[in-house]
Amino acid sequence: MTLPKINPTTTQSWKKLQEHFQAEKNNRIQDLFEKDPNRFDSFSIQWEDFLVDFSKNRLTKETLDLLEELANEVDLKAAMRAYFDGEAINQTEGRAVLHTALRAPATAQIYENGLDVVPEVHAIKAKINSFCDAVISGAHKGYTGKAITDVVNIGIGGSDLGPAMVTEALAYYKNHLNVQFVSNVEGDHVREVIKTLDPETTLFVIVSKTFTTQETLSNATTIRQWFLTHAPEEAIAQHFVAVSTNLEKIAAFGIHPDNVFPMKDWVGGRFSLWSAVGLSIALAVGPNHFEALLAGAHKMDEHFKTADFQENIPVLLALISVWYNNFWGAESEAIIPYTQYLRNLPAYLQQGIMESNGKGVDRQGNKIDYQTGTIIWGGSGTNAQHAFFQHIHQGTKVIPADFIGFKKSLYGETEHQNKLMANFIAQTEALMRGKTRSEAEQELKSKGLSQSEIDALAPFKVFEGNKPTNTLLIDALKPESIGKLIAMYEQKIFVQGILWNIFSYDQWGVELGKQLANTVLNDLTGNEIAQHDVSTTALLKHLKQ
Ligand code: F6P
């Protein structure tokens, strides 16, 4: 079967949710806590090393029941079965969506087109592991007999963001290899990276699912040319490896067949860090930590597959997000990890979430007349507090935010950790409570201001509060917990795509830019400028002057 195709706005539960929203819209989260002393227990989930507190949201048990009804009406369960069973749910590209198979244990059986994919997944993983062991131990030598010291991942989008984000997230677990990432086609960045490299001791990992991506091929070509100004052609075999589905193109680029780490077309780029695309992660932290990352993701997959919807972390987060997006008119969601290690999580999730669910046509091919994908942004706390928190506290928009924190710091810096977590906790409380006019006046009075000064200042000191947050409190930042966290967001993406009746696993919207860039490149490098609008033509002329 293909995915169910149900317009959510035509369901009974959608109508009930609209009515429910009208009845509830003036309620305040704080009042909900006063009415229900058990609210935290009822609206939080303790699972493994995760505590997920969603009690500081504008919702009641009735809201969750109605949202669950919606999930049932759009047949989320059937969609989940189709997804995990390897059906071609990426219908517009005719492919299965099986990144979950990449983290399944060797004992699992997952079929795609009648073939169990698990043995090949584990065979590729074995190749990754033994290659990483050889590079890390120094057994794999460069062309002058020296061990590898530096790794450069050349890729973009899903072939860069996941590996780069996770390598940074797991910096505490890193070995001696210095791992860098080149993604943008900007030559200046390539040159800055090259400046730091010794060709004798650098390994280049070219990652491109299609092996046709302009940025990646340009960067790889420039780096290869630079490398060959120092080393002989045969040295390519020791210094260049590639990850792709396109074995022909890899061969044409001159990569030795032993140095190819294949990936399958049923892995979407933005969900590919679990595949050979994660080679740079495995090199940076070693195969054992990479395995732990995958094991964590698998645990989250099992939780997602088996837990009841109201006990299911990704399902709940997806339902809450739909509640704000479609009933409260929230336009964006903020992701605020309280750790520098995860400072690139928001950028990573921007691709994951926005490339997946930024769609305006439903699964029947009709233009959609309701809101879909949320805009994702964020930054690490406490830096974010000193940057954009003003807007969340006192701006005019509803911005649901996920606060992600860890109970223990990795280096045991207790004093810092206490301050960090004090901010973490204080912010969600403040966002919910706000500050009333009389509290603001009282505060000004205690500072000795006159009544007229108080009257003038008080309006600006008021915080409306009632700002929704989810708190994810995880025991410690470990490879396994990062695996769980990423998989949690991946499954949230899936659920939202199903609820919105869209296809989450294609990305036709990025193709237009690619096509146009090729035309404009001809304009820039050739003698003639093709037909464009007046502004574009003027800009091209200016560039060519
Ligand atoms: O930008 C679109 C996109 O297709 C992403 O989905 C993908 O992650 C990225 O380009 C890179 O593609 P590739 O791995 O094929 O080079």
Side-chain angles (χ1 to χ4, degrees), residues 432-451:
M432 177 183 68
R433 283 194 70 237
K435 194 185 280 179
T436 61
R437 172 89 187 208
S438 77
E439 283 170 332
E441 285 179 3
Q442 205 48 47
E443 201 176 276
L444 294 170
K445 202 169 173 188
S446 67
K447 286 187 179 149
L449 270 72
S450 69
Q451 194 53 49

Side-chain angles (χ1 to χ4, degrees), residues 156-159 208-210 213 216 269-270 351 355 507 510 514:
I156 196 163
S159 299
S208 177
K209 180 176 168 181
T210 54
T213 304
T216 303
R270 52 194 175 276
Q351 190 202 16
E355 200 167 89
Q507 55 287 311
V510 293
K514 288 184 194 172

Side-chain angles (χ1 to χ4, degrees), residues 75-336:
D75 214 352
L76 175 60
K77 283 228 167 83
M80 284 167 76
R81 274 195 301 275
Y83 166 44
F84 280 103
D85 288 351
E87 292 179 25
I89 64 161
N90 176 359
Q91 198 180 298
T92 63
E93 293 181 337
R95 291 174 188 162
V97 176
L98 274 178
H99 46 275
T100 50
L102 297 165
R103 51 234 193 181
T107 49
Q109 291 181 331
I110 300 168
Y111 291 88
E112 191 252 347
N113 267 334
L115 194 78
D116 182 5
V117 300
V118 178
E120 192 180 359
V121 164
H122 281 267
I124 296 171
K125 223 158 43 162
K127 183 174 180 181
I128 294 172
N129 292 354
S130 66
F131 179 72
C132 290
D133 283 338
V135 174
I136 295 164
S137 68
H140 177 104
K141 307 273 186 233
Y143 69 99
T144 56
K146 293 184 186 166
I148 297 296
T149 56
D150 288 68
V151 175
V152 179
N153 187 95
I154 309 166
I156 196 163
S159 299
D160 164 72
L161 287 161
M165 187 277 285
V166 174
T167 299
E168 189 173 30
L170 300 183
Y172 178 78
Y173 302 90
K174 247 186 81 329
N175 54 39
H176 61 284
L177 294 174
N178 177 35
V179 182
Q180 298 190 71
F181 293 83
V182 174
S183 51
N184 201 332
V185 73
E186 178 198 4
D188 290 345
H189 184 222
V190 180
R191 284 289 153 196
E192 289 298 338
V193 172
I194 284 177
K195 245 168 45 184
T196 68
L197 301 174
D198 178 348
E200 292 179 45
T201 57
T202 303
L203 176 75
F204 298 98
V205 183
I206 309 172
V207 188
S208 177
K209 180 176 168 181
T210 54
F211 228 76
T212 57
T213 304
Q214 185 200 53
E215 291 88 340
T216 303
L217 293 188
S218 303
N219 289 338
T221 304
T222 301
I223 286 173
R224 188 177 186 273
Q225 277 161 2
W226 164 81
F227 180 79
L228 289 177
T229 60
H230 299 272
E233 184 88 30
E234 313 84 75
I236 296 272
Q238 284 128 293
H239 292 267
F240 284 77
V241 301
V243 178
S244 185
T245 54
N246 194 336
L247 304 183
E248 273 170 34
K249 289 249 189 252
I250 299 182
F253 192 83
I255 305 277
H256 194 279
D258 290 350
N259 291 346
V260 175
F261 295 86
M263 63 188 285
K264 310 300 284 184
D265 71 358
W266 42 254
V267 189
R270 52 194 175 276
F271 303 96
S272 64
L273 69 90
W274 324 98
S275 70
V277 170
L279 185 62
S280 300
I281 305 170
L283 284 164
V285 297
N288 289 347
H289 291 315
F290 186 60
E291 288 286 358
L293 179 88
L294 301 188
H298 177 66
K299 281 190 181 171
M300 182 55 81
D301 293 342
E302 287 300 301
H303 164 77
F304 174 57
K305 261 194 329 201
T306 54
D308 290 345
F309 287 167
Q310 291 205 29
E311 297 295 321
N312 191 316
I313 301 169
V315 172
L316 275 170
L317 294 181
L319 293 177
I320 295 170
S321 175
V322 167
W323 175 233
Y324 289 120
N325 188 62
N326 295 90
F327 298 91
W328 288 89
E331 287 155 0
S332 73
E333 279 171 24
I335 310 277
I336 326 279

Side-chain angles (χ1 to χ4, degrees), residues 28 95 174 219 236-237 254 257 263 276 287 300 312 320 359 376 380 384 390 406 409 419 421 462 470 494 513 529:
R28 294 179 60 82
R95 291 174 188 162
K174 247 186 81 329
N219 289 338
I236 296 272
M263 63 188 285
M300 182 55 81
N312 191 316
I320 295 170
K359 309 282 165 66
I376 297 299
S380 72
Q390 163 64 37
F406 295 88
S409 78
K419 287 177 189 163
M421 296 318 276
V462 171
N470 293 310
F494 169 81
I529 295 180

